[in-house]
């Protein structure tokens, strides 16, 4: 009589079991991502640049984590290979984009602490909104004289913008490298 292999109760696995080093690397990436998110939301809450810097570090590490986890998928057919490849490439692209913004914010730390901001004033030529379906729309960027400044972190709703700033000349103070707005004022 031959030995018959028992069927697994849980069904087939969809991931390869990583060896010790990649598993530790995944855990370290996830731990640093969580720590960065904690630092962003609590410790550096009053420092705009450090708060945003740690937020982008967390998002970059989380995207990298997703790419690593997807790379351990067992691929049985061509559709899975294409989809997992798209997830890996997309996650790496997001990770590099977030890392680029992170380095721009790092260059802006000294400028922020010295209160050395760039300034642009005038009537805005265009806006971008987040397009939220479940709540109010928020203004994400404002363009004045071909300078696009990010304002999403200021949490300006479109309703509030229309009440206070619509068709009025405004002044935006922003950081040089990241183009992150520090404040927005109405010109009188």
């Amino acid at each position: 009589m031959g030995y018959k292999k028992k069927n697994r109760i849980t069904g087939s696995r969809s991931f390869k079991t990583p060896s010790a080093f990649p598993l530790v690397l995944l855990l370290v990436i996830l731990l640093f991502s969580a720590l960065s998110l904690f630092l962003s939301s609590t410790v550096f809450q009053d420092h705009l640049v450090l708060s945003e810097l740690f937020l982008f570090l967390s998002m970059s590490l989380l995207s990298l984590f997703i790419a690593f986890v997807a790379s351990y998928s067992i691929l049985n057919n061509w559709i899975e290979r294409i989809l997992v490849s798209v997830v890996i490439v997309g996650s790496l692209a997001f990770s590099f984009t977030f890392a680029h913004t992170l380095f721009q914010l790092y260059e802006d730390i000294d400028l922020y602490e010295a209160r050395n901001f760039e300034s642009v004033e005038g009537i805005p030529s265009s806006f971008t909104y987040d397009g939220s379906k479940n709540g109010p729309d928020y203004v994400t960027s404002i363009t004045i004289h071909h300078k696009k400044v990010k304002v999403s972190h200021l949490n300006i709703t479109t309703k509030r913008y229309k009440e206070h700033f619509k068709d009025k000349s405004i002044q935006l103070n922003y950081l040089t490298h990241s183009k992150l707005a520090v404040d927005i004022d109405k010109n009188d």
Side-chain angles (χ1 to χ4, degrees), residues 7-101:
N7 288 337
R8 292 174 52 104
I9 295 172
T10 60
S12 65
R13 295 183 321 183
S14 60
F15 291 99
K16 298 178 262 182
T17 304
S19 60
F21 178 73
L23 190 59
V24 169
L25 181 64
L26 286 172
L27 291 174
V28 167
I29 289 172
L30 194 58
L31 177 69
F32 277 123
S33 178
L35 180 64
S36 297
L37 190 58
F38 170 75
L39 290 173
S40 170
S41 63
T42 57
V43 176
F44 296 116
Q45 187 175 11
D46 295 333
H47 195 286
L48 173 69
V49 175
L50 288 178
S51 175
E52 292 294 314
L53 184 137
F54 279 105
L55 178 65
F56 279 97
L57 176 62
S58 176
M59 291 189 299
S60 179
L61 290 173
L62 190 58
S63 297
L64 192 62
F65 176 79
I66 291 169
F68 278 146
V69 168
S71 70
Y72 277 96
S73 298
I74 294 177
L75 308 174
N76 294 325
N77 58 33
W78 65 274
I79 293 175
E80 290 175 350
R81 289 184 181 117
I82 291 172
L83 291 176
V84 168
S85 297
V86 167
V87 168
I88 291 171
V89 169
S91 295
L92 289 174
F94 278 121
S95 182
F96 290 131
T97 301
F98 292 140
H100 176 68
T101 304

Side-chain angles (χ1 to χ4, degrees), residues 48-49 52-54 56 100-110 175 177-178 180:
L48 173 69
V49 175
E52 292 294 314
L53 184 137
F54 279 105
F56 279 97
H100 176 68
T101 304
L102 173 104
F103 289 121
Q104 288 177 334
L105 286 165
Y106 179 75
E107 291 176 341
D108 283 335
I109 290 174
D110 293 334
L175 297 167
H177 301 288
S178 62
L180 195 70

